[in-house]
Amino acid sequence: MDSTWSTRQVLSTFLDFYRERGHALLDDATLIPPPGDPVLFTSAGMHPLTPYLEGRAHPLGRRLTGVQRCLRTTDLDEIGDDTHLTMFQMLGSWSLGDYGGTQSLRWGYELLRDGFGIPAGRLHVTVLDGDRDTCETWQRLGVPIEALGEDDNWWSNGPSGPCGPDSEIFVWTGDGPPTGTPSSDRRWSEVWNHVMMRYRRHPDGTLGPLRQPGIDTGMGLERMAMVLQGRSTVFDIDVFEPWRRSVSSLWSPSRLVYDHLRASVVVIGDGVHPSNTGRGYVLRRLIRRTLSTLWRVDPSRTLADLPVEPIGSTVEHHGLTVDPRYVLDVLLYEERRFAALLRRGRPLVERLVARGPLTDDDLHYLHDTHGIPPDLVEEMLTAGRE
Ligand code: SER
């Protein structure tokens, strides 16, 4: 496909399309959820809009668009595959009790085909089996459909809250003509999800209708850029270029290192400091996983060698106001702390391991008496020595 699309152009093309169709632009994209929200980080574009999808009037109206930074730590083990990122940007469009699913899908099709220039023959969708309106809309547009169950085509953001059937849109990324379906051929890459928010899951697990049905769509920006830039992994798109250039000349290229460092930069830029609890602990884990990965190969590696340029480019791309040098200082401070903890803790862990596999009592002892949490014990056993 046309490889001249920059990530920035993908972003502006999406937002302009919806603004031209009466959607107000949301301008707050921080990873930190609104006060009183129980989650640590925003993990979906719709997350800050939850009360409005449930019926509260939004000050900007009933049609909204925006781009939201998201952080997902549930798939940390998938980092390193072609498409998962710990921190990513999600483009979104929302109807808060305004238009319905048919309009949303039609606009979606129009934007993909005419806005992004994706040939109609490279599209495929999945729908919830039995969702007649959605099926009819796609049939009229001539897009092939795969009907799946609730595991694939029902969206909710956690155990309670607004939810409903969704329709996922896939683009063919293979070299030859499209074959198979999204669930049978991985070369169908999911780029966009349209959720028909019709229900609310109550805390007791029951499902009720939403007073005001709405639409929530989310498109992974980096993944869409990957498709439009003709790349086979998100790590090859333009926004990773400064990371690739700096990191690969220092250390052998590692997707986890790019991913976790870039995510850490944004988390620090959104005002989080490393700590032993909550958000700060997630940040600490990201930095420690990066260091463990680097030290496993060569314990003399240090983030002090990292130039400020890729940090600056990430700060700028996300419109953060933090000084990139301050971000690097935070990373280096954490590196020193982690190295000191490993120096102090490793002999203790090794002494216990010499006696046999670690028991729960050993893990409690290390945690309660020496401040070494279980996940760090694992890292100590694998991270390089100084
Ligand atoms: N909430 C849906 C998702 O995150 C669509 O925005 O995929």
Side-chain angles (χ1 to χ4, degrees):
M1 243 167 273
D2 184 351
S3 60
T4 58
W5 280 94
S6 67
T7 298
R8 209 169 271 287
Q9 283 170 319
V10 177
L11 191 148
S12 58
T13 300
F14 184 101
L15 298 179
D16 287 350
F17 180 90
Y18 280 99
R19 285 162 75 183
E20 282 158 17
R21 286 156 186 79
H23 293 63
L25 181 65
L26 297 164
D27 63 359
D28 189 8
T30 172
L31 283 173
I32 314 303
D37 194 309
V39 306
L40 291 177
F41 290 104
T42 297
S43 62
M46 53 69 73
H47 189 86
L49 295 173
T50 305
Y52 306 103
L53 285 161
E54 286 178 344
R56 191 192 297 172
H58 194 285
L60 293 179
R62 287 146 72 94
R63 293 183 181 192
L64 305 173
T65 190
V67 61
Q68 173 65 52
R69 296 193 273 285
C70 300
L71 190 95
R72 288 189 185 170
T73 48
T74 43
D75 342 329
L76 274 189
D77 289 336
E78 291 186 40
I79 298 303
D81 77 1
D82 288 336
T83 54
H84 282 86
L85 293 170
T86 305
M87 194 284 306
F88 59 96
Q89 288 183 280
M90 195 179 261
L91 291 157
S93 60
W94 294 276
S95 156
L96 304 176
D98 194 43
Y99 56 84
T102 301
Q103 178 65 84
S104 180
L105 300 173
R106 284 183 168 279
W107 276 336
Y109 179 76
E110 185 186 337
L111 175 56
L112 291 172
R113 195 194 54 182
D114 304 338
F116 291 122
I118 298 174
R122 283 184 170 237
L123 298 177
H124 205 307
V125 296
T126 61
V127 303
L128 181 69
D129 203 6
D131 184 350
R132 285 225 335 260
D133 291 349
T134 301
C135 263
E136 276 172 28
T137 304
W138 286 126
Q139 268 159 1
R140 266 187 241 121
L141 292 169
V143 180
I145 300 167
E146 180 175 30
L148 298 170
E150 290 197 359
D151 281 352
D152 291 288
N153 287 101
W154 180 275
W155 202 87
S156 64
N157 187 29
S160 62
C163 54
D166 68 11
S167 184
E168 297 182 348
I169 307 178
F170 295 74
V171 178
W172 177 253
T173 56
D175 288 333
T179 56
T181 64
S183 67
S184 71
D185 195 317
R186 292 173 61 85
R187 289 172 293 177
W188 287 107
S189 195
E190 187 206 332
V191 294
W192 205 352
N193 190 10
H194 289 232
V195 186
M196 324 306 156
M197 289 288 192
R198 289 192 211 125
Y199 302 95
R200 179 164 195 273
R201 179 84 61 193
H202 300 285
D204 66 4
T206 55
L207 203 60
L210 268 183
R211 235 179 333 121
Q212 161 204 282
I215 299 293
D216 152 44
T217 87
M219 172 187 279
L221 175 62
E222 292 87 348
R223 208 179 282 184
M224 188 62 181
M226 175 190 96
V227 168
L228 292 173
Q229 291 173 20
R231 307 291 170 176
S232 50
T233 111
V234 280
F235 297 97
D236 283 341
I237 66 170
D238 55 350
V239 294
F240 279 103
E241 207 275 327
W243 288 102
R244 283 196 304 274
R245 199 162 1 109
S246 313
V247 173
S248 61
S249 61
L250 280 175
W251 313 308
S252 45
S254 160
R255 292 175 175 185
L256 183 140
V257 172
Y258 301 149
D259 172 85
H260 282 22
L261 283 178
R262 173 173 165 271
S264 300
V265 171
V266 175
V267 172
I268 295 167
D270 271 339
V272 177
H273 295 271
S275 74
N276 280 335
T277 54
R279 292 184 190 110
Y281 192 59
V282 173
L283 173 60
R284 180 160 278 170
R285 293 269 297 126
L286 287 171
I287 301 172
R288 286 179 176 176
R289 278 171 60 99
T290 307
L291 291 166
S292 298
T293 304
L294 293 176
W295 290 343
R296 209 168 288 142
V297 181
D298 177 356
S300 69
R301 289 174 169 179
T302 166
L303 296 175
D305 291 334
L306 186 71
V308 86
E309 191 220 341
I311 300 178
S313 125
T314 297
V315 163
E316 200 217 313
H317 175 83
H318 292 277
L320 302 168
T321 53
V322 69
D323 180 344
R325 279 187 190 77
Y326 167 78
V327 175
L328 190 53
D329 283 347
V330 173
L331 296 175
L332 292 178
Y333 176 76
E334 271 305 290
E335 177 178 309
R336 285 193 294 276
R337 257 186 92 104
F338 187 40
L341 194 56
L342 288 181
R343 256 195 314 271
R344 189 160 52 79
R346 186 176 286 116
L348 291 168
V349 174
E350 283 178 347
R351 220 172 302 139
L352 291 172
V353 168
R355 287 193 335 227
L358 293 181
T359 62
D360 283 350
D361 282 348
D362 293 334
L363 293 175
H364 282 303
Y365 163 75
L366 288 168
H367 198 179
D368 299 344
T369 313
H370 297 284
I372 305 169
D375 50 8
L376 187 56
V377 172
E378 173 75 15
E379 270 156 29
M380 279 183 185
L381 294 170
T382 51
R385 290 149 185 276
E386 287 177 287

